[in-house]
Amino acid sequence: MPIVGGLEHIMRRVSIFSLDIMPYMSIHIIVMLLIAVVPPLRNIFKNETLGAKKINHFIYGGVIFLSLIQSFFLTFWIERLHTASGVYVVNNPGIVFRLISILSITVGALIIIWLGKQINKYGIGNGISLFLLSGLLMRLRNPLLQMVRETSVLNPLKLIMGLLLFISFIAITL
């Protein structure tokens, strides 16, 4: 059963890694804001080794909770997708599909976070930042290609300046 029109693009993006690094980033920001506002959390955070471990437990617990919620709603959205001819994308919707999808998408988010931590651990770079940058670059690919096509014909100097700016942006991020 072929996927028609824009659904092909959507289905390429729907995978176990659909949530990307965003649950981690959201919870991390929330916990850091709570540390700044709630004095008992601030006291826990001040204890360097034990505090960092406790804060990481809060963050990972929050990531699992937020990933479960987001994957729950993503699963229901996937169940309602249909082709232009009205055929639903999910052949057997129901509780089994929902449970497997929710668990798979949640585990996918945790795998990305684990990979980011491994990148940090082995000194390759800041793993979370690398995942954020790669997601940004994937979204910028088509606009950048369009810019290159338009400016290379009109003004090569603008193209060179744009590419230098882009490369410097990447270098600063890393």
Side-chain angles (χ1 to χ4, degrees), residues 100-120:
I100 291 172
S101 297
I102 290 168
L103 288 174
S104 300
I105 294 169
T106 300
V107 168
L110 294 175
I111 288 171
I112 289 176
I113 294 166
W114 178 79
L115 284 172
K117 294 295 181 179
Q118 295 303 307
I119 290 170
N120 287 352

Side-chain angles (χ1 to χ4, degrees), residues 38-161:
V38 179
L41 281 178
R42 193 173 329 136
N43 293 337
I44 291 172
F45 189 68
K46 284 181 183 177
N47 184 351
E48 291 177 16
T49 56
L50 185 61
K53 284 183 180 181
K54 283 188 178 182
I55 296 300
N56 278 336
H57 288 303
F58 289 143
I59 290 173
Y60 287 120
V63 165
I64 292 170
F65 177 73
L66 184 60
S67 296
L68 285 170
I69 291 173
Q70 288 180 334
S71 61
F72 173 81
F73 287 107
L74 182 62
T75 299
F76 276 96
W77 177 75
I78 293 169
E79 272 188 333
R80 288 192 300 265
L81 282 178
H82 54 82
T83 63
S85 62
V87 177
Y88 285 94
V89 174
V90 178
N91 289 334
N92 297 319
I95 191 74
V96 174
F97 170 77
R98 291 177 195 143
L99 285 175
I100 291 172
S101 297
I102 290 168
L103 288 174
S104 300
I105 294 169
T106 300
V107 168
L110 294 175
I111 288 171
I112 289 176
I113 294 166
W114 178 79
L115 284 172
K117 294 295 181 179
Q118 295 303 307
I119 290 170
N120 287 352
K121 181 179 175 182
Y122 290 107
I124 298 170
N126 186 344
I128 304 299
S129 294
L130 287 173
F131 280 116
L132 285 172
L133 179 64
S134 66
L136 177 67
L137 292 176
M138 288 305 294
R139 285 187 209 100
L140 286 177
R141 185 180 63 169
N142 289 336
L144 284 174
L145 288 174
Q146 183 179 354
M147 180 193 78
V148 166
R149 275 188 234 114
E150 290 174 3
T151 56
S152 64
V153 174
L154 300 175
N155 191 346
L157 182 61
K158 281 186 180 179
L159 175 65
I160 293 169
M161 293 302 292

